Amino acid sequence: MQRESIMRSLVFLLLVALTSAKVYQRCEWARVLKNNGMDKYHGIGLADWVCLTKWESSYNTRVINHNTDGSTDYGIFQINSRWWCEDGRTPRSVNACGIKCSELLTDDISAAITCAKRVVRDPNGIRAWVGWRNHCANRDLSPYLAGCGL
């Protein structure tokens, strides 16, 4: 009986681990971004990306936010389903990144980074993100990289 209870507990913990989000620490995330070519990508500094993702998702890969226009923002970059990905629910979705929105919710952040790079090549650039406009634009962003050794 005790062994069965232990096995059930282990299975439960495994399921929780598989479904829980990856939440990066600030410096860990800064290193991931740098290693994926985000520093100075399209002229955007690393601190801008770290600041943006802090305010959009708190560095959480599985964040979903529903917007009043019927679109949804997905993942660590909060990429919008109206313009950048397909979720099967957003009318007139453009899907400029050519991906399913669910790809933005995994711990493998390669699709999210590729799509974020696509977003900033758009005329709005990094200003496409409200979090960046409200919390990062025209501010000293050095604290976002402080102590990271980058």
Side-chain angles (χ1 to χ4, degrees):
M1 191 71 162
Q2 184 178 10
R3 183 175 178 181
E4 186 177 323
S5 176
I6 291 171
M7 288 302 289
R8 281 188 186 142
S9 295
L10 287 174
V11 168
F12 174 76
L13 290 173
L14 178 61
L15 289 173
V16 168
L18 290 175
T19 59
S20 60
K22 169 70 175 165
V23 180
Y24 287 90
Q25 297 300 310
R26 178 178 54 85
C27 289
E28 174 191 21
W29 179 237
R31 282 188 290 281
V32 168
L33 290 168
K34 186 174 178 78
N35 291 340
N36 282 275
M38 296 298 272
D39 190 17
K40 304 293 186 227
Y41 183 82
H42 222 65
I44 299 163
L46 189 58
D48 287 285
W49 291 110
V50 176
C51 179
L52 178 154
T53 50
K54 164 63 178 166
W55 291 100
E56 290 287 344
S57 67
S58 296
Y59 315 127
N60 186 330
T61 60
R62 304 265 169 98
V63 172
I64 297 174
N65 283 300
H66 301 283
N67 301 309
T68 56
D69 70 352
S71 69
T72 304
D73 297 333
Y74 291 90
I76 199 161
F77 290 100
Q78 289 293 276
I79 291 173
N80 186 268
S81 63
R82 169 87 55 229
W83 305 105
W84 307 107
C85 63
E86 175 59 52
D87 65 2
R89 292 188 297 271
T90 305
R92 301 174 310 282
S93 175
V94 175
N95 193 10
C97 288
I99 60 172
K100 293 180 190 257
C101 297
S102 60
E103 294 178 57
L104 302 169
L105 298 173
T106 70
D107 294 347
D108 176 358
I109 47 80
S110 57
I113 286 178
T114 299
C115 190
K117 287 178 175 180
R118 169 61 187 89
V119 172
V120 297
R121 290 192 310 266
D122 195 65
N124 287 328
I126 199 165
R127 297 192 64 76
W129 281 279
V130 174
W132 185 84
R133 291 193 316 260
N134 290 345
H135 300 282
C136 311
N138 303 312
R139 289 188 168 87
D140 173 18
L141 302 182
S142 61
Y144 289 94
L145 300 180
C148 296
L150 295 169

